[in-house]
Amino acid sequence: MKKILVLHGPNLNMLGEREVDVYGNIKLEEINRQLKTFGQDHGFIIEACQSNSEGDLVTMIQKAKGSFDALVINPAAFTHTSIAIRDALSAIDIPIVEVHLSNIYQREEFRQRSLTAPIAKGIISGFGVNSYLLGVRAAIEQISR
Ligand code: DQA
């Protein structure tokens, strides 16, 4: 079965407790549960990981090469700062979809720039948990092309 890696960046482990007005009440475990069910229903294995560390995320992205058929990533705050994560994304040759719970273009100016988006096939931003589900859907479509 084809495999999709979903990576969650820093502070996303606090979902449901953190800025609920922006990110909603949903917890990360619930997002991952919905993604795995969605994957199963479409014949894909979804693996999900979260890290608060830039280096760990770089290593996980590097390891995705050869082990996964696509990557869905919410780099969280590293979206706006991390050349290291951008370079890691450039180094793997599987389709990448960037997702954000909030609409980053509606928020503070510093969030309106994504260093990672140019490396992704596309980005989905602003639909809460559905950003992830749409992201996995886009990844499946990319794999099946
Ligand atoms: C986020 C948006 C980022 O600006 C922020 O740093 C996050 C979450 C989102 O999913 O909306 O942590 O990536």
Side-chain angles (χ1 to χ4, degrees), residues 1-21:
M1 255 206 281
K2 302 256 184 192
K3 288 170 75 181
I4 299 171
L5 178 63
V6 178
L7 284 183
H8 307 281
N11 300 305
L12 293 172
N13 56 317
M14 307 268 299
L15 281 180
E17 317 168 23
R18 159 199 189 212
E19 297 182 86
V20 287
D21 46 324

Side-chain angles (χ1 to χ4, degrees), residues 99-119:
V99 301
H100 299 281
L101 295 152
S102 63
N103 179 347
I104 58 172
Y105 300 102
Q106 250 169 21
R107 301 186 61 196
E108 302 95 323
E109 211 175 311
F110 66 87
R111 292 187 206 277
Q112 294 179 20
R113 182 183 67 151
S114 169
L115 295 183
T116 44
I119 313 303

Side-chain angles (χ1 to χ4, degrees), residues 5-139:
L5 178 63
V6 178
L7 284 183
H8 307 281
N11 300 305
L12 293 172
N13 56 317
M14 307 268 299
L15 281 180
E17 317 168 23
R18 159 199 189 212
E19 297 182 86
V20 287
D21 46 324
V22 180
Y23 300 116
N25 289 313
I26 195 159
K27 289 198 177 299
L28 193 62
E29 296 74 42
E30 174 59 18
I31 293 181
N32 289 339
R33 199 192 57 74
Q34 290 190 24
L35 293 177
K36 283 178 190 190
T37 305
F38 184 85
Q40 261 166 21
D41 291 348
H42 291 81
F44 287 78
I45 294 170
I46 310 279
E47 252 178 55
C49 295
Q50 186 274 336
S51 179
N52 293 323
S53 146
E54 186 176 22
D56 286 350
L57 289 164
V58 166
T59 303
M60 289 190 247
I61 293 165
Q62 289 176 359
K63 286 192 180 152
K65 193 178 173 178
S67 320
F68 290 92
D69 299 284
L71 171 66
V72 174
I73 183 166
N74 182 351
F78 291 140
T79 307
H80 319 297
T81 62
S82 178
I83 297 170
I85 288 178
R86 179 192 168 118
D87 286 351
L89 294 172
S90 295
I92 60 169
D93 51 4
I94 54 174
I96 297 161
V97 182
E98 177 170 318
V99 301
H100 299 281
L101 295 152
S102 63
N103 179 347
I104 58 172
Y105 300 102
Q106 250 169 21
R107 301 186 61 196
E108 302 95 323
E109 211 175 311
F110 66 87
R111 292 187 206 277
Q112 294 179 20
R113 182 183 67 151
S114 169
L115 295 183
T116 44
I119 313 303
K121 288 280 178 197
I123 96 161
I124 299 163
S125 185
F127 300 102
V129 62
N130 282 324
S131 292
Y132 282 97
L133 291 162
L134 292 164
V136 168
R137 203 187 174 90

